[in-house]
Amino acid sequence: MDNTDSVAVKEACARFDFDPKRLLDILWQVQDVNRCVDANALTDIAQATGLPRVSVDGVASFYHFYSSRPKGRFAIYLCDDIVDRQHGFNDLLAVLRDELGIAPGQITADGLFSVDLTPCIGLCDQPPGLLVNQYIAGSLTPAKLRRLLQDLKKDSHPGSSFTQGGEGQNGNSLIQTRLKNNIRRRGAILGSGQLTESGLQNASELSSFEILETLRASGLRGRGGAGYPVWQKLDTAFRQITADKVVICNADEGEPGTFKDRVLLTEQPDLVFEGMTIAARATGASQGILYLRAEYRYLEAWLEERLAQRRAEGLLGSHICGTEGFNFDIRIQRGAGAYICGEESALIRSCEGGRGEPTSRPPYPAIQGYKGLPTTVNNVETFCCIARIFEIGATAFARLGTPQSTGTKLFSVSGDCRKPGVYEFPFGLTVRELLNHCQADDAAAVVVGGPSGQIIGRNEFDRRLCFEDLATAGAFVVFNSTRNILEIVRAYIQFFVDESCGYCTPCRVGNVFLLERMDKIIAGKGETTDIDYLRQLADTIIETSRCGLGHTSPRPILSTLANFPLVYAALLKAPNAGSQPGFDIQKALDEARHLAHRGSTLYDRDYSGGVS
Amino acid sequence: MKKKKRLATASLAGCFGCHMSLLDMDERLLEVLEHVEFDRSPLMDFKGFRQRCDIGLIEGGCCNEDNVHVLRQFRENCDVLVAIGQCAIMGGLPVMRNAIMHADDPLRECLEEAYNESPRVLNPGNHIPNDPALPLLLDKVYTCSEVVHIDFQIPGCPPSGDTLYQVLMALATGKKPEFSYGMIKYD
């Protein structure tokens, strides 16, 4: 390592006070300056922070966006989500190959560009998308990508056609994108126009008991997917007697097909922070963390500016809203590319500078979470709901939706429809209604809740989107009748294979076996016993995995086996005298024939035994 | 007298340990023989099937063409085919060579390692065995269930004599083999 690299490491460590709990931030700074975190950097960081080197290595190698080998000055990450793949991904790949002469995983000889693939970056409503350093772009065409690359080569800047002209706050000088919000329908969360801050004002005058009681009366359930009653989570944390407590907002929106949090953080960041502040008031927390996925890094400056503004207005910091003893502040923790960090215990570990591996429960985070303190983790949308409940009142909120699913829900609609984007509806509308709103004329399958949700077919379109029926964190990906269901399933299982943290065997190994068997079926070599195998293995993975990833990863297979049995049946072969169709003796012998310079006396019909 | 079930056994890419375990039934072998009679088996030295069999036991996976040939013959000639032991079910020790799968020419690399490059091999002529009588090796080791349909898999390295006794007695009386937890748990 030359000296300048070493200096970067020292600076990074010093900036975060050599604090091992801020390892993610240290690694980010080293990655940004040196374009990699190499072996020497790992040693230096370990020395500076007092961590064992193997721990630093463990963290650096866990996250997608830290690399041991140098990335280009412009590190391009092309989104290879299934929706992108169906909407121009291959054209972009061809342009990159053509203009830069490199394939994914490679770097140009001059070190200017590197190209990598990355899972869903939250732009399924405007595919195909990519990341370049801290910039993000969607709705790309080959021509736009060529111009982007030329601008980068010429001016070392993506150019105004790339960084300006975004819809709403996307065009803000602190955000610098050309993204669209695609808000198609507004309701209680998105619709109330200018934020009055009245929610926080109202809550600051209430006691913890009164806040919890209001939330209980509202019936609010977490919007991240599991639907746990929000007041209970807060109540548990509230009841802990500790020096301090923590409120964390989970903005690690990694479920493929979800992007509503992106829009909320762009257009309603104050509502999110307001909700967090009210939650802090309820539990007695003084520390807040917004865990922002690395893909949404482009929002960081904007969010920091909003936080600074709130501090200036007395809405964060000490004596919030003039209330004695109401102290709370929020810091942003940038993730580094790991779907599993959306799981709350993994997220907490990540905030503490560790590998994003889920921990065993109990203890639940509400009792012992971030740095051992009672911690409530909620979704971005949940915090928006909290803020609105104290604005419009619990009764008005509870009147929306269904008895078990009160309020409105933001749906991230994408795929084969004419109006993709964010739709806010009260819980309880049917899949068909939402399909009509987004103008999906030829919908054959819908992924509800992302890969960890369900893939449903036309027979299920009258089901209702709510916790009582089809629970969802918001992803709603439409596929038309020309799409290959099994390719979609395959892509999702591949996603889980890549994103498994590797801690427990059922998930780490089981998902690979699921993928192998899917490949066999897709190749036309499967038979009915393979379906039994898939079901059994899926049950084992669900039953024995440690966290939510393994509990849900087989769902793409299980739900399509239930809803699209004919798609599988059409590919299955009839058993042939007991042999497995997947085994090809001729192929298995090719290498040995070549090495031994002879044929097979058993399987080459005309071979008489001589050496050829 | 009731007609005895016919039993065939074979050892493919295994170590014959599972067959040794058959002998570990000790005197209960005589009891088993009241219900079954052996057809093709290393224990009898019949090289081919004399007639169709009710039960086939397979030890070992498939590492060469001859293993595949024998296994397919067993599938064609046996009503119930049982894979016994780790090699038959998962590949066992032989399957370790599948770990070289990322090489361009994994089989060549495996043979070079075994006959030339391994530090304790004395092979002055660098000769790799290639007698025409040797069956050709497969590109990798396959488990039995990758090549043919297998009806039951009995884990263990080897499965104990007690376990095999239960398997044979159950199949001989037309039942599904079942075991207590301890009999198929190996720590």
Side-chain angles (χ1 to χ4, degrees):
Chain A
M1 170 163 40
D2 57 42
N3 270 339
T4 53
D5 285 0
S6 185
V7 168
V9 174
K10 287 200 183 89
E11 279 177 5
C13 294
R15 187 177 153 206
F16 295 99
D17 289 335
F18 307 94
D19 182 358
K21 300 269 187 215
R22 300 300 296 272
L23 186 54
L24 256 69
D25 307 274
I26 293 171
L27 290 169
W28 258 121
Q29 187 162 334
V30 173
Q31 173 73 39
D32 282 346
V33 177
N34 295 351
R35 293 180 222 155
C36 68
V37 183
D38 61 13
N40 292 321
L42 294 175
T43 308
D44 288 358
I45 295 170
Q47 270 170 5
T49 56
L51 285 166
R53 188 186 182 282
V54 68
S55 303
V56 181
D57 197 356
V59 174
S61 60
F62 184 85
Y63 296 94
H64 183 53
F65 288 109
Y66 304 136
S67 56
S68 56
R69 281 186 296 181
K71 291 291 166 205
R73 195 166 139 218
F74 302 107
I76 297 174
Y77 285 90
L78 193 58
C79 176
D80 79 340
D81 186 72
I82 184 76
V83 174
D84 294 65
R85 283 186 175 273
Q86 293 173 346
H87 293 87
F89 167 88
N90 284 326
D91 299 338
L92 298 191
L93 210 53
V95 168
L96 290 171
R97 209 167 277 145
D98 182 36
E99 291 273 330
L100 306 175
I102 53 173
Q106 296 179 331
I107 178 167
T108 53
D110 57 6
L112 204 54
F113 291 96
S114 61
V115 173
D116 289 276
L117 301 184
T118 199
C120 185
I121 59 172
L123 292 181
C124 284
D125 58 330
Q126 41 204 310
L130 58 70
L131 304 167
V132 187
N133 296 357
Q134 73 271 38
Y135 300 102
I136 190 168
S139 304
L140 283 165
T141 59
K144 282 186 198 168
L145 180 56
R146 271 182 216 279
R147 193 163 63 198
L148 169 65
L149 293 174
Q150 276 150 16
D151 284 344
L152 286 172
K153 280 181 197 165
K154 203 168 60 204
D155 304 323
S156 303
H157 184 272
S160 60
S161 63
F162 187 82
T163 57
Q164 289 173 22
E167 181 191 346
Q169 295 295 353
N170 283 303
N172 188 301
S173 62
L174 291 170
I175 297 184
Q176 291 193 42
T177 70
R178 206 182 178 78
L179 297 186
K180 294 187 284 273
N181 285 325
N182 288 327
I183 298 174
R184 307 287 183 179
R185 190 175 189 279
R186 292 169 188 273
I189 304 300
L190 288 166
S192 304
Q194 201 59 41
L195 190 62
T196 56
E197 295 289 348
S198 63
L200 178 57
Q201 197 64 52
N202 296 340
S204 70
E205 290 156 15
L206 301 177
S207 71
S208 294
F209 285 113
E210 289 165 326
I211 294 176
L212 293 169
E213 183 50 38
T214 306
L215 288 173
R216 196 186 62 74
S218 74
L220 175 64
R221 297 171 68 168
R223 300 301 197 233
Y228 196 76
V230 171
W231 79 272
Q232 272 183 13
K233 245 192 223 184
L234 293 173
D235 188 58
T236 309
F238 166 67
R239 284 168 194 280
Q240 307 307 312
I241 300 166
T242 49
D244 199 0
K245 289 163 193 173
V246 186
V247 169
I248 297 182
C249 174
N250 182 347
D252 191 48
E253 185 176 48
E255 191 73 37
T258 318
F259 46 82
K260 55 161 182 88
D261 293 349
R262 182 198 87 219
V263 174
L264 284 173
L265 291 168
T266 307
E267 295 301 323
Q268 303 276 24
D270 283 272
L271 196 62
V272 181
F273 297 140
E274 196 185 328
M276 290 177 73
T277 314
I278 296 172
R281 175 75 180 153
T283 61
S286 80
Q287 300 183 46
I289 299 174
L290 176 84
Y291 189 91
L292 187 69
R293 71 186 301 223
E295 290 82 349
Y296 293 171
R297 184 180 175 177
Y298 71 98
L299 290 169
E300 218 171 277
W302 161 243
L303 295 171
E304 289 286 8
E305 191 270 339
R306 292 317 305 160
L307 287 174
Q309 184 65 32
R310 291 181 74 81
R311 285 182 198 112
E313 290 170 11
L315 300 169
L316 275 180
S318 308
H319 311 308
I320 294 169
C321 295
T323 308
E324 190 68 31
F326 185 6
N327 308 323
F328 179 67
D329 208 339
I330 298 171
R331 79 170 171 93
I332 295 175
Q333 174 68 57
R334 188 194 308 156
Y339 167 77
I340 188 64
C341 288
E343 198 277 345
E344 62 177 0
S345 64
L347 182 146
I348 290 171
R349 270 202 168 180
S350 186
C351 287
E352 292 170 342
R355 289 163 66 86
E357 285 169 354
T359 51
S360 299
R361 297 184 290 183
Y364 288 90
I367 294 169
Q368 213 175 337
Y370 178 68
K371 295 186 179 176
L373 299 171
T375 304
T376 37
V377 184
N378 276 306
N379 182 261
V380 172
E381 189 184 344
T382 310
F383 284 116
C384 293
C385 291
I386 292 177
R388 288 299 191 208
I389 285 168
F390 287 90
E391 192 180 317
I392 64 173
T395 325
F397 187 86
R399 261 203 298 273
L400 300 166
T402 67
Q404 298 299 315
S405 320
T406 56
T408 56
K409 179 80 192 88
L410 270 59
F411 297 100
S412 310
V413 178
S414 64
D416 298 316
C417 59
R418 273 180 281 153
K419 300 266 183 221
V422 175
Y423 290 76
E424 183 180 358
F425 278 100
F427 272 111
L429 86 160
T430 65
V431 172
R432 195 181 305 282
E433 283 164 349
L434 189 47
L435 286 170
N436 288 339
H437 279 286
C438 71
Q439 300 181 15
D441 307 327
D442 180 29
V446 180
V447 179
V448 178
S452 70
Q454 309 228 32
I455 305 180
I456 61 169
R458 286 182 178 132
N459 291 344
E460 313 269 311
F461 284 176
D462 287 318
R463 292 183 66 180
R464 289 146 71 84
L465 297 160
C466 55
F467 293 112
E468 293 95 318
D469 190 2
L470 266 178
T472 169
F476 190 91
V477 190
V478 185
F479 294 103
N480 67 27
S481 55
T482 69
R483 305 299 183 189
N484 181 338
I485 297 287
L486 297 188
E487 286 299 334
I488 298 165
V489 173
R490 196 203 174 279
Y492 286 156
I493 300 296
Q494 176 74 61
F495 170 77
F496 287 122
V497 167
D498 295 341
E499 295 297 329
S500 169
C501 82
Y503 186 96
C504 71
T505 313
C507 173
R508 181 185 66 242
V509 178
N511 285 312
V512 174
F513 286 168
L514 287 180
L515 187 63
E516 280 181 5
R517 209 48 71 108
M518 281 305 296
D519 280 338
K520 184 182 170 192
I521 292 171
I522 289 171
K525 291 176 176 174
E527 50 185 281
T528 46
T529 48
D530 289 314
I531 302 297
D532 300 334
Y533 174 90
L534 283 175
R535 285 189 204 279
Q536 279 175 15
L537 181 57
D539 286 348
T540 305
I541 296 172
I542 290 170
E543 191 67 30
T544 55
S545 289
R546 195 159 177 252
C547 80
L549 195 148
H551 296 159
T552 55
S553 65
R555 283 197 192 163
I557 291 177
L558 292 178
S559 59
T560 48
L561 277 175
N563 297 330
F564 302 90
L566 296 180
V567 175
Y568 286 87
L571 280 172
L572 297 179
K573 280 210 164 126
N576 168 30
S579 355
Q580 295 283 13
F583 177 72
D584 180 352
I585 181 68
Q586 297 302 341
K587 195 164 147 267
L589 284 174
D590 268 351
E591 198 178 350
R593 282 190 188 108
H594 172 72
L595 287 176
H597 299 290
R598 58 189 169 97
S600 161
T601 46
L602 287 166
Y603 295 106
D604 291 334
R605 198 175 294 170
D606 302 328
Y607 179 68
S608 55
V611 172
S612 62
Chain B
M1 192 191 141
K2 227 175 77 185
K3 191 172 170 285
K4 288 184 180 179
K5 302 271 186 192
R6 288 194 80 76
L7 170 69
T9 76
S11 176
L12 308 178
C15 69
F16 266 92
C18 296
H19 274 77
M20 291 296 121
S21 210
L22 274 176
L23 300 180
D24 271 346
M25 279 188 246
D26 300 330
E27 74 279 8
R28 280 174 298 174
L29 200 48
L30 298 174
E31 187 191 338
V32 170
L33 284 173
E34 287 173 18
H35 298 276
V36 303
E37 58 188 338
F38 277 95
D39 194 277
R40 174 180 185 169
S41 166
L43 302 178
M44 301 298 286
D45 218 19
F46 297 143
K47 300 290 190 265
F49 283 95
R50 294 156 64 89
Q51 51 179 280
R52 185 163 183 87
C53 289
D54 301 290
I55 307 162
L57 296 187
I58 299 289
E59 166 188 348
C62 294
C63 75
N64 64 34
E65 57 176 338
D66 187 58
N67 297 152
V68 173
H69 184 62
V70 172
L71 183 57
R72 284 180 170 173
Q73 285 183 331
F74 265 69
R75 181 69 271 181
E76 282 161 27
N77 288 285
C78 300
D79 292 346
V80 174
L81 197 55
V82 186
I84 58 170
Q86 221 47 38
C87 299
I89 299 173
M90 308 285 282
L93 269 188
V95 88
M96 287 180 73
R97 81 161 152 110
N98 291 9
I100 320 175
M101 62 192 179
H102 296 299
D104 293 335
D105 205 347
L107 187 55
R108 178 191 297 275
E109 207 164 295
C110 174
L111 292 169
E112 288 292 340
E113 180 68 23
Y115 290 101
N116 290 325
E117 285 166 13
S118 182
R120 283 174 187 77
V121 163
L122 181 63
N123 184 1
N126 287 339
H127 175 69
I128 292 177
N130 188 16
D131 190 281
L134 289 173
L136 290 176
L137 292 171
L138 304 180
D139 57 342
K140 58 174 189 168
V141 174
Y142 293 83
T143 66
C144 290
S145 66
E146 283 180 301
V147 177
V148 299
H149 285 285
I150 295 292
D151 300 302
F152 295 103
Q153 306 197 111
I154 310 298
C157 184
S160 68
D162 291 346
T163 307
L164 293 177
Y165 168 76
Q166 287 216 17
V167 172
L168 287 176
M169 289 304 280
L171 293 174
T173 49
K175 292 186 204 127
K176 185 179 167 189
E178 277 173 0
F179 313 97
S180 63
Y181 178 64
M183 291 192 77
I184 48 170
K185 179 175 162 62
Y186 297 88
D187 268 337

